[in-house]
Every structure is written in structure tokens, then in C-alpha cells.
Amino acid sequence: MSHDTEQDTAATPEVQEIEETIQRHREDLAQTVDALSARLDVKARARDAMSSATAKVRSTLTGPGEGPDSNTDPARLVALALSGVAVVTLWSGVARRTRR
């Protein structure tokens, strides 16, 4: 029995090193799985894109301008229209995918 104890004591640094390596690999694998899950979550990505487009539209409409009619600037109207088209296109694509 004492012979087994001596082997366990002698192997302890190697065992600890292996256990630390295994722990690092587990953490790396968990991070990879989380990243892949986030990429595959289409609904969450669509919500994020929609929130981003909505924020962009709001900032375009309420951004600093000159005078009370500054929201009629052609560049702002084009940006607003394109953002609206992007939101509708994205939403219809998500709706189409969820029906399948």
C-alpha cells in the first residue's frame, strides 16, 4: 500500500498539469460552443439588426440639423427610406424562415 502512495505523490505535479490542461480545453470549448450558438440564433440576430436599423432611423430623424425643416433634407429622406426597406426585408426573411 505504501508503494501506491509513493507513486501517487510522485505523479501529482504531472496529474495537476494534465488536469489544468483539461480545464483550459473545457473553457475553450465552452467559449466556442457559445460563439457558434450565437451565430446560429437567427431570431436574436434579426432582432439585433432590427434594433440597429431602428436606432439608425431615429438618429437620422432626430439628429442635429439647421432649422425646423431640417428633417426634409434629401440625404436624410433617402437614408430613412433605405433603412425602412432594410427593416422590412429583414423582417420578411425572418418570418419566411420561421414558417418552414
Side-chain angles (χ1 to χ4, degrees):
M1 289 278 182
S2 64
H3 184 67
D4 291 337
T5 307
E6 290 175 12
Q7 285 182 350
D8 290 343
T9 306
T12 300
E14 292 174 358
V15 170
Q16 286 178 341
E17 183 178 329
I18 291 170
E19 288 176 350
E20 289 172 1
T21 301
I22 290 171
Q23 185 61 31
R24 280 194 306 272
H25 286 293
R26 284 181 180 163
E27 290 171 3
D28 290 344
L29 183 60
Q31 290 175 355
T32 302
V33 168
D34 289 343
L36 289 172
S37 295
R39 286 185 180 192
L40 293 174
D41 191 358
V42 176
K43 286 184 180 182
R45 291 177 67 191
R47 269 186 253 122
D48 291 343
M50 191 171 301
S51 296
S52 176
T54 302
K56 190 173 187 177
V57 168
R58 284 187 181 149
S59 70
T60 300
L61 291 175
T62 61
E66 298 176 6
D69 294 333
S70 62
N71 288 338
T72 59
D73 180 29
R76 285 182 184 222
L77 294 176
V78 169
L80 175 62
L82 291 177
S83 297
V85 168
V87 168
V88 169
T89 303
L90 182 65
W91 184 254
S92 66
V94 170
R96 217 177 288 132
R97 284 188 180 187
T98 57
R99 288 183 197 153
R100 289 182 186 180

